Amino acid sequence: MATIRLTILSSIKEHDGRLPILVCISQKKERAYIKTEFLLDDIAEFDNGKVAYRKDANVMNKRLEFVFSQYKEKFNSIECIDYFFCNSDKADYNV
């Protein structure tokens, strides 16, 4: 079964060194990542799918939850999820 979640990767950085929060879509050991507009200064500011240890963590989490809910809604609207492949439908998730 395919899953969708929020994550960050230390290997993907912006030109200024900040880390983008990514939407990860995975199925059968394949993963695709969609970059969001949210940036963190350090990997330690992200804990279990939530922004933590920042002054603006509550505000950022609320905005991130809204954006993630839009991706989740589109993800759940796929009719044949068993035939879903991460790399083929990545463009359909642009919100």
Side-chain angles (χ1 to χ4, degrees):
M1 177 161 182
T3 59
I4 184 170
R5 62 188 172 93
L6 293 172
T7 190
I8 58 172
L9 299 174
S10 59
S11 60
I12 299 176
K13 293 184 180 181
E14 294 289 307
H15 66 280
D16 60 0
R18 294 187 297 170
L19 301 162
I21 297 177
L22 307 167
V23 177
C24 176
I25 304 166
S26 60
Q27 180 186 18
K28 298 180 183 175
K29 299 182 184 179
E30 289 185 42
R31 290 187 180 135
Y33 298 97
I34 304 169
K35 192 186 317 185
T36 66
E37 63 187 74
F38 303 98
L39 300 171
L40 299 176
D41 297 323
D42 190 354
I43 198 165
E45 294 178 345
F46 195 76
D47 186 34
N48 292 328
K50 300 267 186 196
V51 177
Y53 312 113
R54 288 177 58 115
K55 291 181 181 179
D56 62 344
N58 287 336
V59 173
M60 189 177 261
N61 280 326
K62 287 180 183 177
R63 292 179 57 211
L64 192 57
E65 185 178 317
F66 175 74
V67 170
F68 182 68
S69 69
Q70 291 179 322
Y71 282 109
K72 184 79 169 166
E73 184 178 316
K74 287 188 178 210
F75 178 78
N76 289 335
S77 71
I78 298 173
E79 293 178 14
C80 299
I81 199 73
D82 293 335
Y83 301 107
F84 176 74
F85 292 100
C86 291
N87 295 330
S88 63
D89 290 334
K90 184 176 176 183
D92 293 340
Y93 279 93
N94 292 334
V95 177

